[in-house]
Amino acid sequence: MARKIIPGVGPQHPQVIVLFGATGDLSRRKLLPGLFHLVSFGFIPGCRIIGVSLDDMDAEGFRAFARQALKEFSSRKVNEEVWAEFSAMLNYVSLSAGAAALRAAVLTAGEELGTESRRLHYLSVPPSAALPAVHMLAEAGLVEGSHIVMEKPFGTDLKSARSLNARLHEVFDERQIFRIDHFLGKEPAQNILAFRFANGLFEPIWNRNFIDHVQIDVPETLELGKRAGFYEQTGAFRDMVVTHLFQILGFMAMEPPTSLEPAPISEEKNKVFRSMLPIDPRNVVRGQYAGYRSEAGVDPESDTETFIALKCLIDNWRWAGVPFYLRTGKRLAEGQRIISIAFREPPKSMFPAGSGVSSQGPDHLTFDLADASKMSLSFYGKRPGPGMRLDKLSLQFAMTDTGLVGDVLEAYERLILDAMRGDHTLFTTAEGIERLWEVSTPLLENPPPVRIYQPGDWGPRSIHQLIAPHVWRLPFERVWRDAAPAPA
Ligand code: BG6
């Protein structure tokens, strides 16, 4: 059965995808299921996927691997007809077969797809394997006219990031490079742009005159499990903050771009990063959950943080004096991804004593960054009945109310499609990354000691001093309202 191709959404040309790290965890969980969905939705007009990894297997072995990955990790039901079509698109070249074998497989795939096909190289490999893969592509003569997707980490500090970018640029042009940050591919992250710039209501108050402080809070309940060895070298700051949380901060804080095109958006985001003040280690709480040091692959005296909370300042006209509090960590009390904006409070003098004005904190605009996103605007309103007693009320929106949740693309799906189309809007630039490492330098050079917290808690106790006189929004005092039941 030939797939019905939906024009205009995906790339114009068929794609040969070279997937380095094809048998790795990310490939299994996200990339192979994501590519399968993109093919099954008809977003890609023809494709061949060449898996590359250290494993010694053939195309049949790779097909079996992909089938198992879909079984375990596909969020949607797998249609057997589409699978048969998809599996015929898969091929495999072991790294040990070398550049010439890779070249031959890519050229054959390209010929099968016709003269108009394009190449996408996806490097889903650990940092130490990224440059060797780039050089293998160069040796195979597969650089020209292709796009390359790189996974984090993009260095571990300013020096290594600069060196990585410089060495990458010896082979690939910046326009060919797509540095993926999957948080920017999440539907609600893009919705921040729509919400801010497609409405007249909020942008006028999106500044220091009206906003008191902002929280970007991404606690996770996850344990490290098999990732402990990787994590031990990385820690929460490098794994989550310097990548995902700072990128979300960029969308939240940037000026309106001249258009919703890649270059103007990157430029505005980079301006935010340029205005960020270097992180003061006194404004940082590093934590480690009790028991981490006895996990496999972890140094018994490890100083790696599994939790971090910090205060950032953006010294520009829009944000000077408005603290941005960021927090994330593993084995915390709840898994959440929120941005919460606290508005300045009005004078309270006119309300009678005991009215409850301001007793439940300031008005908040809150974004839930879950795939089925939610938003809430909280405010004080009058409690029905005699006198003037106030309650905290809220306006809430849930994506599930729209009936369109099924249309949500997973972050990787969206980003793969964009990289194929050559659209850099949701990707990070060399300049942006280097600046983020630069502002991080004082913290990396002088990290405060890690403080132990109990698994299932919200981090070490000093997080409260960090944010005082404000308080962390999480855990929420009032839970989100359930989505409205679908009309009968
Ligand atoms: C990854 C981090 O980039 O993002 C993980 O390496 C983290 O440590 C994950 O758990 C969170 O992503 P998501 O999409 O599950 O919120």
Side-chain angles (χ1 to χ4, degrees):
M1 182 195 73
R3 228 52 323 263
K4 188 166 154 267
I5 302 302
I6 304 178
V9 181
Q12 283 179 352
H13 303 290
Q15 303 282 321
V16 178
I17 301 159
V18 180
L19 178 54
F20 283 85
T23 54
D25 206 46
L26 182 68
S27 170
R28 213 158 60 94
R29 286 171 187 274
K30 297 286 180 190
L31 305 179
L32 289 168
L35 285 164
F36 176 79
H37 293 140
L38 293 177
V39 167
S40 64
F41 289 145
F43 289 159
I44 311 177
C47 124
R48 293 285 180 279
I49 300 167
I50 301 170
V52 183
S53 88
L54 282 170
D55 288 312
D56 210 4
M57 62 165 76
D58 59 8
E60 266 322 305
F62 185 47
R63 287 180 190 130
F65 176 86
R67 187 71 180 99
Q68 184 61 25
L70 286 178
K71 189 170 160 209
E72 282 178 58
F73 298 109
S74 172
S75 55
R76 307 176 185 95
K77 201 167 173 299
V78 176
N79 172 309
E80 288 308 322
E81 262 181 79
V82 184
W83 163 253
E85 204 185 318
F86 183 76
S87 76
M89 298 175 181
L90 301 177
N91 194 1
Y92 184 83
V93 175
S94 155
L95 266 179
S96 59
L102 180 61
R103 179 180 172 79
V106 170
L107 295 189
T108 308
E111 277 158 25
E112 284 166 14
L113 291 170
T115 48
E116 286 287 87
S117 69
R118 301 283 188 271
R119 288 178 202 138
L120 181 79
H121 306 306
Y122 198 121
L123 267 51
S124 172
V125 293
S128 57
L131 284 172
V134 166
H135 291 134
M136 183 172 181
L137 288 168
E139 194 188 331
L142 296 173
V143 171
E144 210 187 308
S146 55
H147 294 163
I148 182 163
V149 179
M150 308 281 300
E151 275 287 339
K152 68 170 182 129
F154 310 115
T156 51
D157 57 14
L158 180 58
K159 192 162 161 255
S160 57
R162 279 192 179 143
S163 143
L164 177 67
N165 283 330
R167 294 181 68 189
L168 205 51
H169 288 154
E170 286 168 6
V171 180
F172 284 94
D173 193 88
E174 180 70 13
R175 273 170 311 165
Q176 294 175 278
I177 304 170
F178 294 79
R179 294 179 192 77
I180 213 162
D181 187 307
H182 80 279
F183 266 51
L184 293 186
K186 289 179 188 278
E187 198 76 49
Q190 300 157 61
N191 210 16
I192 298 172
L193 299 183
F195 185 83
R196 287 190 56 193
F197 304 132
N199 300 294
L201 188 56
F202 290 103
E203 206 44 36
I205 57 167
W206 209 263
N207 58 52
R208 62 197 298 269
N209 297 326
F210 298 89
I211 292 180
D212 183 70
H213 70 277
V214 177
Q215 298 182 25
I216 301 178
D217 204 357
V218 186
E220 296 182 282
T221 52
L222 280 184
E223 305 193 0
L224 287 164
K226 287 197 206 128
R227 287 183 83 216
F230 149 81
Y231 200 85
E232 174 65 359
Q233 310 302 321
T234 312
F237 182 73
R238 290 186 171 96
D239 183 40
M240 292 292 287
V241 178
V242 96
T243 51
H244 310 319
L245 271 59
F246 280 163
Q247 293 299 328
I248 294 291
L249 174 98
F251 269 13
M252 156 65 210
M254 72 190 210
E255 296 299 313
T258 48
S259 68
L260 280 189
E261 295 291 321
I265 290 190
S266 289
E267 174 55 12
E268 294 307 335
K269 223 157 33 106
N270 287 346
K271 274 160 68 182
V272 172
F273 300 153
R274 266 178 247 148
S275 301
M276 269 170 82
L277 295 181
I279 295 163
D280 183 341
R282 285 171 303 183
N283 290 334
V284 179
V285 174
R286 292 169 72 240
Q288 188 186 76
Y289 62 76
Y292 171 73
R293 290 178 188 172
S294 39
E295 287 187 13
V298 173
D299 179 346
E301 289 175 26
S302 172
D303 181 52
T304 300
E305 78 284 350
T306 59
F307 170 97
I308 189 151
L310 64 154
K311 176 164 98 171
C312 299
L313 294 165
I314 303 173
D315 193 18
N316 64 13
W317 274 67
R318 191 185 278 264
W319 296 116
V322 178
F324 284 73
Y325 297 101
L326 275 48
R327 171 169 71 168
T328 187
K330 305 294 187 214
R331 297 206 70 182
L332 295 179
E334 285 175 30
Q336 293 268 1
R337 303 179 197 107
I338 65 155
I339 306 178
S340 184
I341 297 165
F343 291 98
R344 287 193 187 283
E345 297 194 44
K348 301 154 190 90
S349 46
M350 73 175 78
F351 288 93
S355 67
V357 66
S358 113
S359 61
Q360 296 177 61
D363 298 346
H364 287 113
L365 177 63
T366 305
F367 295 84
D368 182 330
L369 301 181
D371 282 344
S373 57
K374 289 182 277 199
M375 265 177 237
S376 146
L377 180 64
S378 68
F379 57 91
Y380 286 89
K382 183 185 169 302
R383 186 185 294 179
M388 181 56 88
R389 294 285 306 278
L390 301 170
D391 274 333
K392 197 84 180 280
L393 308 173
S394 66
L395 297 168
Q396 293 190 9
F397 163 80
M399 186 62 79
T400 44
D401 290 344
T402 64
L404 295 175
V405 170
D407 292 353
V408 170
L409 284 184
E410 280 202 8
Y412 278 99
E413 296 168 358
R414 161 74 197 225
L415 294 172
I416 290 172
L417 217 48
D418 284 359
M420 287 175 173
R421 290 168 51 238
D423 183 336
H424 276 95
T425 309
L426 300 174
F427 294 84
T428 56
T429 59
E431 184 202 326
I433 300 274
E434 288 178 18
R435 172 63 188 161
L436 290 174
W437 284 119
E438 193 179 349
V439 298
S440 306
T441 303
L443 171 64
L444 296 176
E445 287 182 345
N446 209 354
V450 287
R451 294 173 192 285
I452 302 298
Y453 60 95
Q454 294 307 314
D457 209 339
W458 288 92
R461 279 199 207 102
S462 44
I463 53 169
H464 302 297
Q465 279 136 282
L466 176 75
I467 204 169
H470 317 296
V471 289
W472 292 99
R473 256 336 272 303
L474 292 174
F476 285 129
E477 280 174 22
R478 292 165 300 279
V479 292
W480 293 92
R481 280 200 292 276
D482 281 339

